Amino acid sequence: MKQIYPDLWQTSVEHPFVGVSSHAYLLIQSTGNILFYNASLREEYTRIKDLGGIAFQYLSHRDEVSPALSEIKEVFGSKLCCHRLEEQAVEKEASVDYLFEKREILFGSIEVIPTPGHTDGSMCFLVNSAFGKRYLFTGDTIYMNNGIWESQYARGSTSDLKNSLELLRDIGSAVIISSASIGADSFKEVSAESWRSDVNNVLRTLY
């Protein structure tokens, strides 16, 4: 694992598909650590235990489902969370403890944002870090392809995806962290202006 910010750790890279890189991210917080996305490398679990374990695992969408979900619950006693529309796919591997349905604030600092399009139940999570950064976990709603932002629908709809991207476009300055990427870049700090321009460029490819 690698520490990328004072309260955020990145797991080692995995390759779920040829040419695709993925990471999970552990947010350290006093109300219980949160693992965003999924990690199946068992050697990472020892380090995660040293960092205080996992209280909650947040999935952005069904493509993060793997047998590791049940193993993480068993090892850490964590609660698994996803959107209601992803529940059926997730429960093929592990029981779900909490379902997201609407935009809401958790723990006073984490905003849950439904962003249908890539899949009907895709989610993003906006974290206001105690250390001054804002982390936007986008799942596969928007990701980098060799340094260029990109988006595509999988089992959702193009119209929903456009609406979700328009919503994310106005988030402002943040660290954008996708669950997968093509190439080495998996997250990037952006200004409000550059992010808005980048999302507009992505939207043009969807029309």
Side-chain angles (χ1 to χ4, degrees), residues 101-122:
E101 292 189 80
K102 63 184 186 301
R103 196 164 180 171
E104 60 180 314
I105 303 291
L106 302 175
F107 306 110
S109 61
I110 301 173
E111 185 172 8
V112 175
I113 308 173
T115 50
H118 181 70
T119 65
D120 289 335
S122 287

Side-chain angles (χ1 to χ4, degrees), residues 16-178:
F17 308 103
V18 175
V20 174
S21 300
S22 69
H23 301 269
Y25 295 84
L26 185 69
L27 179 70
I28 309 298
Q29 56 173 25
S30 60
T31 52
N33 296 344
I34 298 174
L35 184 71
F36 291 91
Y37 312 143
N38 196 12
S40 61
L41 298 174
R42 293 183 179 180
E43 57 267 31
E44 297 287 60
Y45 296 170
T46 299
R47 186 64 180 123
I48 290 174
K49 285 181 179 178
D50 292 341
L51 292 167
I54 301 168
F56 303 93
Q57 183 176 8
Y58 288 1
L59 302 182
S60 69
H61 67 302
R62 68 191 69 178
D63 292 345
E64 293 153 15
V65 172
S66 81
L69 295 179
S70 59
E71 187 170 6
I72 287 171
K73 290 193 73 170
E74 181 178 351
V75 171
F76 297 101
S78 53
K79 296 186 182 301
L80 183 60
C81 313
C82 69
H83 193 282
R84 182 174 295 280
L85 295 177
E86 308 295 272
E87 181 183 15
Q88 185 175 1
V90 174
E91 288 209 322
K92 292 177 181 178
E93 295 293 348
S95 60
V96 176
D97 299 289
Y98 185 86
L99 292 171
F100 302 122
E101 292 189 80
K102 63 184 186 301
R103 196 164 180 171
E104 60 180 314
I105 303 291
L106 302 175
F107 306 110
S109 61
I110 301 173
E111 185 172 8
V112 175
I113 308 173
T115 50
H118 181 70
T119 65
D120 289 335
S122 287
M123 304 287 307
C124 292
F125 305 97
L126 181 63
V127 176
N128 288 298
S129 168
F131 294 89
K133 298 288 186 183
R134 299 167 77 234
Y135 312 133
L136 178 63
F137 295 92
T138 61
D140 283 352
T141 296
I142 187 168
Y143 55 90
M144 277 190 284
N145 184 341
N146 292 302
I148 304 298
W149 294 108
E150 189 175 86
S151 184
Q152 58 180 310
Y153 74 95
R155 287 170 291 275
S157 73
T158 303
S159 60
D160 281 345
L161 184 57
K162 291 174 184 175
N163 291 336
S164 293
L165 289 171
E166 288 169 355
L167 176 65
L168 296 180
R169 179 178 59 188
D170 298 323
I171 288 295
S173 59
V175 183
I176 312 300
I177 306 170
S178 60

